[in-house]
Amino acid sequence: MKILHIAHCPMQWVPLSYRDMERRHGDTSDLIFLTNPFDTRDFPVLPQPLFTWPWLMRMRRKTVEDRWEESKDKILGIQKNQADKYESHSIPLQIRPGNSAQKIWRACRDTYLRKKIPGLVKQYKLDEYEIVHYHGGRDYTWSADLAQYLHERGAKISCVYHGTDLRIEGVIPQLDKLSQLNLTSEHDLVDDHPNIHWLPLPFDIKPFNQKVQWNKVIRIVHAPSDRYNKGTDYILPVIEKLKKDFIFEFTLVEGKSQEETRKIKFDCELCIDQIGNRGGSGFGISSLECFAMGIPCISDFTPEVEALMPGHPFYIAAPENLESSLRQILVNPESLEKKGLESFLWIQQNNSFECVYQQKMELYRQCGWVQV
């Protein structure tokens, strides 16, 4: 099977994991970016020369920042039962057309880029792929001309949503009509689209060693990608308070490389992923990495999200009970090793490449994309 993943800048390791998972199972799978997320030439990037203008790049950066702030406001509004402010829209939310100037800009840009599509398809042999996943639900043009071009030549079109793209920005109507299979690993997004399937994040556990030596003095780690979203302001005061009653070590990891962060985690007995559900309920890559190493984690789930994951091994804690949850763990630190083993077995059965691939293939079968 030949599968193509097309991703835009905010999407990084997730589509790469999809590609690696499929290659491991014998598929021909490739990844192309709409813009270059790594500032390298390691991945093919569809040329968008108009985006190289400095003033336009600054404007786009400001737009992304505004949407990020709106995402935070929406999540906080929902936590405070003020969701009606944000829910007066169709399901799924559709991308906003913008003001008059933005409409003109998008139309001109699409006209310019549309002419490049046949050449790009030939250059990258895009018409040879049987299935095309659009990560983030974004196409080469705002009118989804590339997706339409590939669809007319027999490609099956899918959209994979990762959070803000569907939660705040919305779908591109033309691409949404073409997409026969919509996927997400964000639990709250299952209510934001009438035809979307939840699929666990594929995670490669093979490169990780399992923890076998446990320190006598418990080490707790917190490695926030974003302090606000991860609830670091909730965590640090509780840690300082507990230090008065218990002997343990705490490490806040910031500004380190992925390799350095993983080494630090491996020498710890407990990870605090996120508290407060500001960036969406559930967990992120930090927990997956720890589980792959056999290290237990604390995170904050809404009841709806927890119901989707029966038998999960997380310690659950919200801002109001984080202190009591940590106290129970520190009083009985021997339980951490058992919880770590449970965590490894859980990720093996839920997020490993083998498990997620089989679930994805079942969705393909339901769509009639592959034979039973």
Side-chain angles (χ1 to χ4, degrees), residues 22-54:
E22 289 155 356
R23 286 183 175 182
R24 184 171 296 176
H25 285 83
D27 295 327
T28 298
S29 184
D30 295 303
L31 171 61
I32 288 181
F33 282 92
L34 297 178
T35 52
N36 197 329
F38 302 109
D39 294 323
T40 71
R41 306 310 299 180
D42 294 336
F43 295 94
V45 181
L46 297 182
Q48 301 193 44
L50 298 183
F51 280 169
T52 61
W53 298 345

Side-chain angles (χ1 to χ4, degrees), residues 129-147:
Y129 294 94
E130 302 165 64
I131 297 173
V132 181
H133 290 286
Y134 282 90
H135 289 262
R138 297 296 176 264
D139 193 23
Y140 190 55
T141 66
W142 287 104
S143 47
D145 294 285
L146 176 58

Side-chain angles (χ1 to χ4, degrees), residues 121-227:
V121 170
K122 182 178 180 180
Q123 178 182 353
Y124 294 105
K125 301 180 180 179
L126 302 183
D127 54 351
E128 296 183 3
Y129 294 94
E130 302 165 64
I131 297 173
V132 181
H133 290 286
Y134 282 90
H135 289 262
R138 297 296 176 264
D139 193 23
Y140 190 55
T141 66
W142 287 104
S143 47
D145 294 285
L146 176 58
Q148 182 66 47
Y149 190 97
L150 297 176
H151 173 71
E152 291 172 355
R153 284 152 182 78
K156 310 299 184 184
I157 305 298
S158 165
C159 287
V160 187
Y161 294 101
H162 301 282
T164 303
D165 43 28
L166 183 58
R167 191 183 294 127
I168 296 297
E169 298 179 355
V171 303
I172 294 177
Q174 296 91 331
L175 183 57
D176 189 50
K177 290 178 183 178
L178 292 172
S179 178
Q180 296 177 258
L181 177 63
N182 299 300
L183 303 173
T184 184
S185 300
E186 295 287 324
H187 298 81
D188 65 301
L189 294 188
V190 296
D191 296 323
D192 286 344
H193 197 292
N195 181 29
I196 196 167
H197 299 270
W198 184 75
L199 185 70
L201 282 172
F203 190 81
D204 188 7
I205 63 176
K206 287 191 175 182
F208 292 85
N209 294 319
Q210 272 193 271
K211 187 176 181 68
V212 293
Q213 300 230 342
W214 296 74
N215 299 302
K216 291 183 179 179
V217 176
I218 296 301
R219 294 178 179 175
I220 301 175
V221 63
H222 176 56
S225 53
D226 179 286
R227 281 197 173 204

Side-chain angles (χ1 to χ4, degrees), residues 9 35-37 39 48-65 105:
C9 184
T35 52
N36 197 329
D39 294 323
Q48 301 193 44
L50 298 183
F51 280 169
T52 61
W53 298 345
W55 67 270
L56 180 59
M57 294 177 70
R58 288 194 297 269
M59 185 177 71
R60 283 181 55 79
R61 189 178 301 113
K62 180 64 167 60
T63 301
V64 170
E65 291 171 353
W105 163 252

